[in-house]
Amino acid sequence: TCTSLNLSGSTQITCAVPVHTAGSKSIVVTNPDTQTASSNYTYNPLPTIGSITPKNGPLAGGGTLTINGTGFLGGLSVTIGGLACASPTTSATIITCAIPANSAGTYDVVVTNSDTQSVTLSNGYKYNSFPLTSVAPANGKLAGGDTLTIFGSGFVSSATATIESALLNASGRFD
């Protein structure tokens, strides 16, 4: 039942929408003379973030952030550390946007739907003070053993490289 019902003449009723589960729900208005009219109201699910790609990038920003999840609505906004991710495009499950520039650090990624419901991926994106620009080859065999070349800037002689926590040796091979 709607609460704080307010009748504005004979053409408009406003009320506070009660809590409900996601989905389309019937709205029924009943006059004192028992006449009824009905329509539908949709409760949008909360958005969720399942993953983002990439998880880090250069201080200058640029590139495209891809967010996979659920419950995304058109007209949403995305921020990384409070800075707008430009030109977001969306479907119900995928968002892409242009990554803004920022200072070094790890920041929250926040998706706010047009209905003001939001989701935060805490520490979801890291701005690297030294960027990794690409890797070659980008894929290889399950048995490993391939030589991986990592391109970027600002690497120092004591740097290490990992692939999902597997340590690479100085020649780009797994130890």
Side-chain angles (χ1 to χ4, degrees):
T1 302
C2 283
T3 58
S4 303
L5 199 68
N6 185 25
L7 180 62
S8 299
S10 64
T11 61
Q12 182 176 316
I13 297 173
T14 58
C15 67
V17 177
V19 174
H20 215 296
T21 57
S24 181
K25 310 299 177 196
S26 294
I27 299 171
V28 178
V29 175
T30 304
N31 276 335
D33 65 2
T34 69
Q35 291 183 53
T36 62
S38 64
S39 188
N40 290 313
Y41 179 83
T42 300
Y43 284 84
N44 296 317
L46 289 170
T48 65
I49 296 175
S51 65
I52 67 166
T53 306
K55 294 180 187 328
N56 59 68
L59 301 179
T64 300
L65 182 69
T66 300
I67 303 172
N68 292 292
T70 62
F72 302 141
L73 302 176
L76 57 69
S77 66
V78 177
T79 61
I80 302 174
L83 300 175
C85 196
S87 306
T89 59
T90 186
S91 71
T93 60
I94 298 173
I95 302 167
T96 59
C97 60
I99 300 168
N102 207 342
S103 56
T106 303
Y107 298 94
D108 294 347
V109 176
V110 179
V111 174
T112 304
N113 272 338
S114 54
D115 66 1
T116 72
Q117 295 185 102
S118 65
V119 61
T120 300
L121 178 61
S122 296
N123 299 315
Y125 189 82
K126 180 178 181 181
Y127 285 89
N128 298 320
S129 55
F130 64 94
L132 186 152
T133 56
S134 65
V135 296
N139 56 61
K141 56 189 174 283
L142 290 174
D146 296 327
T147 298
L148 181 66
T149 303
I150 302 169
F151 300 95
S153 62
F155 303 146
V156 295
S157 63
S158 60
T160 61
T162 59
I163 297 178
E164 294 292 324
S165 301
L167 190 62
L168 300 176
N169 65 25
S171 65
R173 295 185 182 274
F174 292 105
D175 286 333

